[in-house]
Amino acid sequence: MLDPKPCFMVLAYDSNDMPGNCKDIMGYARNTEEVERLIHTAKNNALYSYDHIETVDAHLDKVLITIRRNKDQEWHS
């Protein structure tokens, strides 16, 4: 049995330093567990200080969830 196609895409970016609306693709996911792992990776990325993380429906190209980091460095959806 073949693996199903990914249903979700997780994007991350720094809204203050986003030239040309460029967002980093953290990865593709087939289920919510994989989405949660990608979000965790984006939140804890040592090389980039992302302040926005989006989960997108890969088939509909629609943002499902946006998580933002506030000035106190706390994440909120």
Side-chain angles (χ1 to χ4, degrees):
M1 182 179 199
L2 298 173
D3 288 334
K5 291 183 180 180
C7 298
F8 307 102
M9 180 172 41
V10 177
L11 307 171
Y13 59 96
D14 179 352
S15 62
N16 297 316
D17 187 30
M18 190 174 70
N21 203 21
C22 182
K23 299 176 184 179
D24 293 333
I25 298 173
M26 297 307 299
Y28 296 91
R30 291 179 184 86
N31 56 50
T32 55
E33 289 177 5
E34 291 178 0
V35 168
E36 288 175 4
R37 277 184 284 211
L38 291 169
I39 290 171
H40 178 76
T41 298
K43 285 180 176 179
N44 296 298
N45 192 310
L47 298 176
Y48 302 102
S49 59
Y50 299 122
D51 65 358
H52 280 68
I53 301 170
E54 295 177 349
T55 301
V56 177
D57 183 307
H59 301 292
L60 301 176
D61 194 27
K62 179 180 177 183
V63 176
L64 301 175
I65 301 169
T66 300
I67 303 170
R68 296 176 182 92
R69 183 167 40 191
N70 64 20
K71 63 182 177 182
D72 296 324
Q73 303 301 310
E74 297 170 345
W75 290 96
H76 299 279
S77 55

